[in-house]
Amino acid sequence: MKHVALALLSAAALLVLPAMAADEFNVDDLEHLPIKLSNGTTVEVIKYNDHLWRIIDVAVLMGDDNNDPDVCFEGKFEMVQQSKLKLRGLNASFNPKNPQAKWASIVIDDRIKHRAQSAQTDLKNGTNVWICGTLRRPEPGVKGLDLIAVDVRKLAPDLDRYKAALAKMVAKPAKPQEFLDLGAKIEVQLKNDSDIIANIEQFEELKLLAKSAYEEGARRKEAEVRADDADAWYEVLVIWRDKVQKKTKAREILLEKVLKINPDHRQGAEDATALGFVKFRGTWMTRERQKEIEEADARQIQQDKQAKDEETIRKIAEKTRAIAEREVLLVRSQADLHAAGPATRNQAIGALGDAIQRSPDADFGRAAVLLLANLDAKAPVAAALGSAAKSALPEVRCEAVEALAWRGSQLADAQAYGAVAATLLAEQDVAVAKSEIAAVLAADPKAGVDVLIKGMAAKDSTVRSEILDNLKTTTQQSFATAEEWDAWWKQNRDRFNPK
């Protein structure tokens, strides 16, 4: 029980002494109240027989402050010495020969003395008792106080009382710290109470009870912790590991959680290191797991290299085959392009554009683009050159865009400029984009501005930047957004005259 100081309580009305019952008294069932003192401090009192008693530690009796006289506390009965009650571990009065010895002066009157002596068979040495009474200074200037006992009540044995307290806490929405405090209280008694230490069976039961209290406290604390609070999770880990002694949970679940939230958590990192874990690529793991990852990475590198080598060999083979077939394909394509029927000719135009796009042979691509550029048809050729401009080969894309720009200028082919704009939107090679921009501006600056404004939506940022620079240079304007350029161009296109 937590011992604190209390507000000023009147000692004027001492209670009529009740008969001291031999049966056990449950002080935990009495009403416990918080009281706020005039200095703002909140303390705890017990209501007993319609009176309030502040809860203290017996150390209060060794002081000299009796301003709050009505008090109560717990102890272990040892014996009655004349008119004083002696508790286990405490002298009944100050011993000048041994000033370091703990003492507490608990004065009992004849009625309490008689009842205590007649109940020796019940109040054995070591029996838990609850005492309430009033503090009194024995002599002016003397340090130390007498407690004039009003009542002495027998409490249940420690084990029974702790069991009842834990059951009561579990049944109500008790806070995690209440369980942890109970576990700590039991632990202290296990270390210091000679009777419990000597009773192996009781010792083990209390040990298990403390563990149960810690475990319930750990569960409830765990339920309250924020998902991203590494320090709070580590506190829970310590309870599970050191108090509940479930080290597997602490190691495999909670330590992993702490270090996942904060890989640099100092205490978590120390624990992980002590367990043989290593920090690898920002994550804590066993050395075995690190080795597995490194071996998997090595295998992946080897597989990637092999796949890359195979892809290179495949491309070389394809290019070799394309080069071997170049002349035959060009002759056949030229024949198809001059076929008598327009449907056959249009089909051949589209097929040649697709062939240019797929071919790994740059010489075939350039020659085929030249065949398309010199045809007099408009729509099918613009579409075919647009397909050719999607070639994976930069030089072929440049050749196709130059052909489109030339046809747009010389043949007034609007679809050719549309194909150039589409090519710029997809272009990701800034060097190729520069060549494409230069080609369309050289063919027709006004149409080139049309294309560049549409190209402001290009996927690649460096290409967009190149387009913007050329727009500013060509128009001598300094707009930043596509919307600004579009609005200005709608008002000024007809009278635009590039220098």
Side-chain angles (χ1 to χ4, degrees), residues 130-146:
W130 178 77
I131 304 169
C132 61
T134 300
L135 296 175
R136 185 190 66 185
R137 194 184 311 280
E139 297 179 23
V142 174
K143 185 171 183 178
L145 301 168
D146 287 338

Side-chain angles (χ1 to χ4, degrees), residues 149-198:
V150 173
D151 205 350
V152 178
R153 302 298 302 267
K154 176 186 175 184
L155 301 177
D158 295 314
L159 180 59
D160 294 342
R161 191 173 177 200
Y162 287 138
K163 282 181 179 179
L166 181 58
K168 185 176 180 181
M169 288 166 60
V170 169
K172 70 175 185 177
K175 295 180 180 179
Q177 194 58 45
E178 294 180 60
F179 290 94
L180 302 179
D181 290 343
L182 179 62
K185 184 176 180 180
I186 297 173
E187 270 195 332
V188 169
Q189 197 159 352
L190 287 172
K191 293 177 181 177
N192 300 321
D193 194 318
S194 58
D195 289 344
I196 291 176
I197 295 172

Side-chain angles (χ1 to χ4, degrees), residues 267-406:
Q267 294 162 307
E270 290 176 359
D271 288 355
T273 302
L275 291 169
F277 283 60
V278 292
K279 189 178 181 183
F280 181 62
R281 296 177 184 172
T283 302
W284 287 90
M285 61 187 69
T286 62
R287 294 187 184 278
E288 292 77 10
R289 178 57 183 153
Q290 178 189 6
K291 185 178 179 182
E292 289 175 2
I293 293 174
E294 290 174 335
E295 290 175 348
D297 287 348
R299 288 193 300 271
Q300 188 61 52
I301 291 172
Q302 183 61 34
Q303 290 171 4
D304 292 345
K305 182 179 182 302
Q306 183 177 347
K308 186 176 181 180
D309 291 344
E310 291 173 352
E311 179 66 11
T312 300
I313 293 171
R314 185 187 66 78
K315 287 182 177 181
I316 291 173
E318 284 186 356
K319 186 174 181 179
T320 301
R321 186 166 54 253
I323 291 172
E325 297 173 350
R326 180 195 305 158
E327 292 302 327
V328 174
L329 186 55
L330 285 172
V331 171
R332 185 186 304 154
S333 297
Q334 191 169 15
D336 291 341
L337 291 174
H338 292 87
T344 302
R345 187 170 60 251
N346 289 346
Q347 185 177 1
I349 291 173
L352 185 56
D354 292 340
I356 297 170
Q357 181 184 146
R358 295 191 304 269
S359 178
D361 180 8
D363 288 340
F364 167 78
R366 284 192 291 264
V369 165
L370 186 60
L371 287 177
L372 289 172
N374 289 317
L375 294 175
D376 57 359
K378 288 187 177 182
V381 174
L385 287 172
S387 295
K390 296 178 182 177
S391 169
L393 305 175
E395 58 268 45
V396 174
R397 295 202 301 277
C398 289
E399 196 82 23
V401 169
E402 287 181 11
L404 283 165
W406 179 83

Side-chain angles (χ1 to χ4, degrees), residues 204-488:
E204 291 300 324
E205 282 195 72
L206 282 170
K207 188 176 179 181
L208 287 174
L209 198 64
K211 186 175 179 180
S212 296
Y214 280 127
E215 185 167 357
E216 186 63 26
R219 283 200 191 96
R220 298 196 182 202
K221 187 174 180 67
E222 190 171 329
E224 294 180 353
V225 176
R226 290 199 329 267
D228 61 347
D229 192 340
D231 289 337
W233 279 114
Y234 188 80
E235 291 175 7
V236 175
L237 179 155
V238 170
I239 298 169
W240 281 107
R241 183 192 64 199
D242 299 346
K243 301 302 183 181
V244 186
Q245 297 182 336
K246 287 192 176 180
K247 297 182 180 179
T248 301
K249 176 181 176 71
R251 170 178 172 173
E252 296 183 0
I253 300 176
L254 297 177
L255 183 56
E256 181 181 354
K257 185 185 290 288
V258 168
L259 293 174
K260 186 174 182 180
I261 298 169
N262 179 12
D264 298 320
H265 191 275
R266 183 181 62 80
Q267 294 162 307
E270 290 176 359
D271 288 355
T273 302
L275 291 169
F277 283 60
V278 292
K279 189 178 181 183
F280 181 62
R281 296 177 184 172
T283 302
W284 287 90
M285 61 187 69
T286 62
R287 294 187 184 278
E288 292 77 10
R289 178 57 183 153
Q290 178 189 6
K291 185 178 179 182
E292 289 175 2
I293 293 174
E294 290 174 335
E295 290 175 348
D297 287 348
R299 288 193 300 271
Q300 188 61 52
I301 291 172
Q302 183 61 34
Q303 290 171 4
D304 292 345
K305 182 179 182 302
Q306 183 177 347
K308 186 176 181 180
D309 291 344
E310 291 173 352
E311 179 66 11
T312 300
I313 293 171
R314 185 187 66 78
K315 287 182 177 181
I316 291 173
E318 284 186 356
K319 186 174 181 179
T320 301
R321 186 166 54 253
I323 291 172
E325 297 173 350
R326 180 195 305 158
E327 292 302 327
V328 174
L329 186 55
L330 285 172
V331 171
R332 185 186 304 154
S333 297
Q334 191 169 15
D336 291 341
L337 291 174
H338 292 87
T344 302
R345 187 170 60 251
N346 289 346
Q347 185 177 1
I349 291 173
L352 185 56
D354 292 340
I356 297 170
Q357 181 184 146
R358 295 191 304 269
S359 178
D361 180 8
D363 288 340
F364 167 78
R366 284 192 291 264
V369 165
L370 186 60
L371 287 177
L372 289 172
N374 289 317
L375 294 175
D376 57 359
K378 288 187 177 182
V381 174
L385 287 172
S387 295
K390 296 178 182 177
S391 169
L393 305 175
E395 58 268 45
V396 174
R397 295 202 301 277
C398 289
E399 196 82 23
V401 169
E402 287 181 11
L404 283 165
W406 179 83
R407 287 180 64 84
S409 172
Q410 298 300 314
L411 303 178
D413 188 348
Q415 293 190 27
Y417 287 125
V420 173
T423 301
L424 276 176
L425 288 173
E427 187 60 67
Q428 295 186 12
D429 187 327
V430 69
V432 175
K434 287 181 178 181
S435 177
E436 294 168 345
I437 293 168
V440 72
L441 288 174
D444 184 341
K446 182 177 287 190
V449 173
D450 281 330
V451 169
L452 295 185
I453 289 177
K454 292 176 182 177
M456 284 287 290
K459 294 180 180 179
D460 188 86
S461 61
T462 56
V463 172
R464 290 198 304 272
S465 178
E466 187 66 28
I467 290 171
L468 182 61
D469 288 345
N470 277 273
L471 273 174
K472 290 179 178 179
T473 300
T474 304
T475 65
Q476 298 299 303
Q477 301 298 317
S478 58
F479 303 114
T481 67
E483 292 77 9
E484 291 174 320
W485 281 107
D486 190 58
W488 175 81

